[in-house]
């Protein structure tokens, strides 16, 4: 009875525009939707330029073999940026964690165990970096830049800059589970999507995600409401370490080889993906799904430019062009409230 | 003697060489409304932030229900049932109304996954209860899009979400229109009738005199006066005292 009366009453009142379901969906996801439109526009441009090459499924599977590595890095970095920080140390953490993987595999243990070791090691490294930044009261931009150099240095010193080949990986259960192909579809894409979905849930529907948002938005207020601001920030870096470890393991399994430079090439594309995806640089808001779409966009640029028939020299130019265009695109729907 | 629900003893707070508070005692009894008065910069906000655990006092003791509290923090004070509406409102303006209301106290199920439905339903109920504007707001609205008074509504909603033992309001009506102010006073009376305590900070002495039962005047970090309503007598007497306090030190000492 009371419910019916209430329903009628709320019908009588005009719904606030932001309450209409479709409108609310669009407003809530406008950054991700914006990134998606940018992605489709780019794809459309490539397709019109060379329909033959871009009708070839092989081109897309090629992208989908390497895209997962980026996705494992992009999703946690959205948390870092939302919390008002930045992490430039993830390439070295990725390298160190995958070194742990390679060492354990080489020692003759099961690759599944090696994966676990890499994940634990990478996460701990992430927490370590976070603790240094947060409790040391350092600027995350500068401190993580320093950590990236230092940890990469450790890698070079420890391994004498020698790579580790693991040809036996092909026959392992771990490889079939995490790096094989199912019906011609790269299976690592499945795991990466699962990870992105998990991160998106964590970001939007978990207490941790809620804390990350308010800590990035107004740390004083978060503190006044009893949230442990410092610990929340440290945990965000821990999550970044976890993602870096996963990225390291997956990229090592793709190549059957660990390289001392492992992770190095990901720094700029991953950071670009986060911003192309619609997460603003000032903290407090962001989108994990948008970041994943941004990663798709960035991953397709190289393949696309070459596929269109342009020389590789154009790749960098188009990287820059797409980043700038998408930032301009996001500009009008990112309002910064103060 | 009733045991105060909270008691501050000999609280000092220094910022470098500046003493914001120089040995303040303050207690709040169950069901009591305390009016905290004083000039700009007297130390009122500093005092209530110490009460809320946001600022650590340089020295002094905090007692909850008669027993000394250690490691006093915002989380502890909230757990003890103390809710504060800060002067600067302390909202995360890029977030939705729901997220602000449940900040630090999210309704979560197993493993910390949020119970979004319940949070939204609760937020809607609270917003209706406060009724802070004629406009229909959704709990999803971003706080940055609200007016100053509407934001104050969100801050108050957050403070009454749980049945707090003590609600501290630091100049809650400064940005508000007459009707909004009336709503806040109506709300304060409701809280008082439900037997909970309030610390009310305000510069409108008529308002504070109306609402409070006991008055504490802070002057340059010290308690200059502490009297019950009966002892003070009238708002006029309180105003006269405040004017006297406002005179520079030497003038008062000579007089
Ligand atoms: N972080 C700080 N660093 C240095 N001094 C501070 C700090 N915070 C407050 N103070 C000083 O402490 C004193 C008390 O400030 P407080 O905000 O408690 O005053 P108030 O009584 O709330 O005043 P108002 O009525 O204007 O809100 C002021 O002189 C202020 O300058
Ligand atoms: Mg104040």
């Amino acid at each position: 009875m009371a419910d019916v009366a209430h329903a009628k009453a709320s019908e009588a009142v005009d719904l606030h525009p932001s309450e209409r379901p479709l409108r609310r969906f669009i407003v809530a996801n406008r950054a991700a939707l914006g990134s998606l439109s940018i992605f489709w526009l780019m794809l459309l441009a490539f397709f019109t330029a060379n329909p033959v090459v871009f009708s070839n499924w092989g081109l897309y599977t090629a992208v989908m073999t390497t895209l997962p590595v980026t996705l494992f890095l992009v999703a946690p970095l959205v948390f870092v940026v939302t919390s008002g920080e930045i992490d430039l140390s993830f390439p070295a953490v990725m390298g160190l964690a995958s070194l742990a993987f390679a060492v354990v595999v080489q020692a003759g243990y099961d690759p599944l165990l090696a994966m676990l070791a890499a994940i634990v090691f990478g996460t701990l490294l992430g927490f370590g970096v976070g603790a240094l930044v947060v409790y040391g009261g350092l600027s995350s931009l500068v401190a993580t830049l320093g950590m990236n150099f230092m940890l990469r240095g450790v890698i070079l010193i420890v391994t004498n800059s020698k790579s580790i080949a693991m040809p036996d990986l092909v026959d392992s259960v771990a490889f079939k589970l995490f790096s094989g192909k199912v019906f011609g579809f790269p299976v690592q894409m499945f795991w990466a999507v699962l990870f992105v979905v998990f991160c998106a849930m964590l970001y939007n529907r978990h207490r941790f995600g809620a804390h990350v948002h308010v800590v990035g938005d107004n740390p004083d207020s978060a503190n006044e409401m009893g949230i442990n601001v410092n610990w929340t920030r440290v945990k965000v870096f821990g999550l970044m370490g976890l993602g870096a470890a996963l990225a390291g393991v997956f990229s090592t399994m793709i190549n059957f080889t660990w390289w001392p430079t492992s992770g190095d090439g990901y720094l700029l594309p991953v950071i670009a993906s986060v911003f192309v995806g619609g997460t603003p640089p000032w903290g407090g808001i962001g989108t994990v799904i948008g970041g994943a779409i941004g990663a798709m966009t960035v991953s397709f640029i190289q393949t696309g430019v070459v596929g269109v028939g342009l020389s590789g020299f154009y790749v960098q130019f188009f990287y820059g062009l797409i980043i700038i265009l998408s930032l301009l695109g996001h500009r009008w729907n990112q309002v910064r409230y103060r | 003697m009733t045991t105060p629900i909270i008691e501050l003893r000999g609280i000092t707070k220094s910022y470098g060489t500046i003493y914001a508070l120089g040995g303040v005692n303050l207690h709040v009894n169950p069901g009591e409304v305390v009016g905290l008065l004083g000039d700009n910069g007297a130390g009122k906000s500093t005092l209530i932030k110490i009460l809320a655990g946001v600022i650590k006092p340089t020295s002094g003791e905090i007692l909850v229900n008669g027993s000394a509290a250690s490691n006093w923090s915002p989380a502890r004070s909230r757990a003890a049932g103390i809710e504060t509406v800060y002067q600067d409102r302390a909202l995360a303006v890029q977030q939705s109304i729901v997220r602000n209301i449940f900040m630090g106290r999210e309704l979560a199920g197993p493993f910390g996954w949020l119970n979004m439905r319940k949070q939204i339903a609760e937020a809607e109920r609270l917003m209706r209860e406060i009724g802070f504007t004629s406009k229909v707001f959704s709990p999803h609205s971003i706080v940055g899009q609200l007016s100053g008074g509407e934001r104050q509504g969100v801050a108050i909603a957050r403070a009454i979400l749980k049945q707090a033992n003590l609600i501290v309001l630091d100049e809650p009506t400064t940005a508000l229109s007459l009707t909004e102010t009336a709503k806040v006073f109506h709300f304060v009376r409701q809280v008082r009738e439900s037997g909970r305590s309030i610390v009310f900070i305000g510069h409108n002495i008529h308002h504070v005199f109306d609402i409070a039962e006991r008055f504490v005047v802070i002057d340059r970090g010290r308690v200059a006066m502490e009297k019950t309503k009966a002892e003070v007598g009238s708002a006029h007497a309180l105003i006269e005292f405040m004017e006297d306090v406002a005179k520079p030190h030497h003038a008062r000492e000579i007089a």
Side-chain angles (χ1 to χ4, degrees):
Chain A
M1 265 295 282
D3 274 348
V4 174
H6 173 72
K8 276 197 183 132
S10 60
E11 257 168 35
V13 183
D14 206 16
L15 270 182
H16 187 263
S18 66
E19 267 300 77
R20 285 176 209 127
L22 179 66
R23 172 103 179 243
R24 212 179 85 202
F25 176 82
I26 293 175
V27 169
N29 296 291
R30 60 186 192 282
L33 290 171
S35 324
L36 194 61
S37 345
I38 292 163
F39 177 70
W40 284 121
L41 281 176
M42 187 188 73
L43 221 56
L44 192 72
F46 284 147
F47 195 85
T48 348
N50 195 338
V52 183
V53 171
F54 282 88
S55 311
N56 179 6
W57 179 240
L59 183 123
Y60 297 91
T61 47
V63 171
M64 276 191 284
T65 315
T66 52
L67 176 62
V69 179
T70 316
L71 290 178
F72 284 119
L73 296 166
V74 168
L77 193 61
V78 170
F79 283 76
V80 176
V81 173
T82 305
S83 77
E85 307 284 340
I86 186 71
D87 188 357
L88 305 180
S89 72
F90 66 82
V93 171
M94 178 176 162
L96 263 178
S98 50
L99 173 62
F101 173 77
V103 167
V104 176
V105 168
Q106 242 197 352
Y109 292 100
D110 192 283
L112 286 173
L113 195 73
M115 274 182 86
L116 190 70
I119 288 168
V120 171
F121 187 47
T123 310
L124 287 179
L125 275 174
F127 272 103
V129 170
L132 177 76
V133 168
V134 172
Y135 297 115
L138 307 177
S139 137
S140 57
L141 180 75
V142 187
T144 59
L145 180 68
M147 281 309 277
N148 192 43
F149 278 116
M150 213 172 87
L151 295 178
R152 182 64 64 190
V154 168
I155 292 176
L156 296 179
I157 294 166
V158 168
T159 65
N160 261 324
S161 190
K162 287 205 174 70
S163 57
I164 302 172
M166 290 161 281
D168 297 342
L169 267 183
V170 197
D171 303 320
S172 67
V173 181
F175 182 81
K176 291 200 177 70
L177 268 178
F178 297 108
S179 213
K181 276 203 166 117
V182 178
F183 306 117
F185 184 82
V187 73
Q188 52 265 58
M189 196 61 210
F190 166 77
W191 294 108
V193 167
L194 206 67
F195 182 73
V196 168
V197 170
F198 171 77
C199 283
M201 299 272 293
L202 197 64
Y203 191 79
N204 294 312
R205 293 172 173 264
H206 195 273
R207 183 185 279 139
F208 174 62
H211 287 184
V212 170
H213 279 90
V214 294
V215 162
D217 191 328
N218 188 343
D220 292 336
S221 173
N223 175 46
E224 283 165 358
M225 292 303 125
I227 294 171
N228 192 333
V229 174
N230 282 345
W231 181 231
T232 304
R233 287 191 180 129
V234 173
K235 279 194 281 189
V236 165
F237 282 95
L239 179 66
M240 186 72 241
L242 170 73
L246 287 169
V249 169
F250 273 82
S251 84
T252 308
M253 283 212 278
I254 292 168
N255 303 311
F256 306 114
T257 308
W258 175 86
W259 304 96
T261 52
S262 166
D264 249 0
Y266 286 95
L267 182 62
L268 295 178
V270 167
I271 291 174
S273 301
V274 170
F275 297 124
V276 167
T279 297
W282 58 73
I285 48 174
T287 156
V288 171
I289 300 293
I293 296 166
M296 280 184 356
T297 311
V298 171
S299 295
F300 257 101
I301 295 173
Q302 178 153 19
T303 319
V305 168
V306 177
V308 162
L310 292 170
S311 93
F313 300 141
Y314 282 82
V315 172
Q316 298 237 352
F317 176 79
F318 276 96
Y319 259 136
L321 184 70
I322 301 241
I323 291 170
I324 298 298
L325 285 181
S326 49
L327 285 189
L328 287 174
H330 287 304
R331 184 66 194 87
W332 57 265
N333 71 30
Q334 284 172 344
V335 195
R336 184 174 188 182
Y337 298 107
R338 286 167 200 272
Chain B
M1 265 293 306
T2 50
T3 316
I5 55 172
I6 187 102
E7 187 175 356
L8 303 179
R9 277 192 198 156
I11 297 290
T12 68
K13 176 71 196 174
S14 63
Y15 292 106
T17 55
I18 306 163
Y19 264 85
L21 294 173
V24 174
N25 299 322
L26 179 79
H27 69 276
V28 184
N29 292 321
E32 184 188 32
V33 180
V34 176
L36 197 55
L37 298 156
D39 273 345
N40 293 125
K44 306 179 295 295
S45 298
T46 308
L47 187 63
I48 62 107
K49 281 187 178 171
I50 287 171
L51 182 68
V54 173
I55 295 179
K56 303 258 173 287
T58 307
S59 69
E61 233 189 327
I62 297 163
L63 292 93
V64 184
N65 292 319
S67 48
S70 55
N71 292 324
W72 195 238
S73 69
R76 292 245 166 132
S77 98
R78 281 193 113 187
I82 300 170
E83 286 295 327
T84 309
V85 177
Y86 295 94
Q87 190 171 11
D88 50 16
R89 283 189 214 96
L91 299 172
V93 293
Q94 299 181 87
Q95 316 299 320
S96 64
I97 293 178
V98 210
R99 190 166 274 158
N100 271 281
I101 288 180
F102 286 93
M103 197 192 291
R105 206 169 32 192
E106 297 79 7
L107 298 180
F111 304 110
W113 298 104
L114 298 179
N115 190 338
M116 309 280 272
R117 273 169 191 278
K118 206 167 159 195
Q119 286 196 161
I120 287 163
E122 274 284 284
E124 261 166 358
R125 181 186 65 74
L126 274 173
M127 282 158 59
R128 254 201 311 280
E129 198 176 314
I130 300 217
F132 59 82
T133 42
S134 46
K135 263 183 264 166
V136 189
F137 273 104
S138 140
H140 300 285
S141 303
I142 301 300
V143 167
Q145 297 172 335
L146 308 182
S147 78
E150 290 159 354
R151 291 184 195 193
Q152 188 67 283
V154 175
I156 290 176
R158 182 164 69 185
I160 60 166
L161 172 66
K162 263 208 180 162
Q163 292 276 321
N165 303 322
L166 166 64
I167 296 180
V168 179
L169 299 155
D170 193 351
E171 302 190 28
T173 57
T174 316
L176 303 187
S177 71
L178 277 178
T179 38
E180 303 297 313
T181 305
K183 272 182 204 156
V184 171
F185 283 112
H186 177 71
F187 154 75
V188 170
R189 286 194 189 92
Q190 268 183 324
V191 173
R192 189 174 60 186
E193 270 146 38
S194 70
R196 289 174 280 161
S197 315
I198 291 179
V199 171
F200 192 101
I201 300 177
H203 285 297
N204 186 322
I205 293 169
H206 290 284
H207 281 165
V208 181
F209 187 80
D210 257 10
I211 210 99
E213 293 144 2
R214 189 158 57 86
F215 307 94
V216 177
V217 179
I218 309 263
D219 176 43
R220 281 159 280 204
R222 289 173 189 282
V223 176
M225 186 204 90
E226 185 175 353
K227 279 183 179 161
T228 62
K229 201 167 200 158
E231 285 165 348
V232 173
S234 67
H236 187 70
L238 196 54
I239 291 171
E240 275 194 346
F241 181 82
M242 295 290 297
E243 278 170 353
D244 188 42
V245 161
K247 286 177 193 151
H249 252 310
H250 64 273
R252 243 193 313 154
E253 267 154 19
I254 291 162

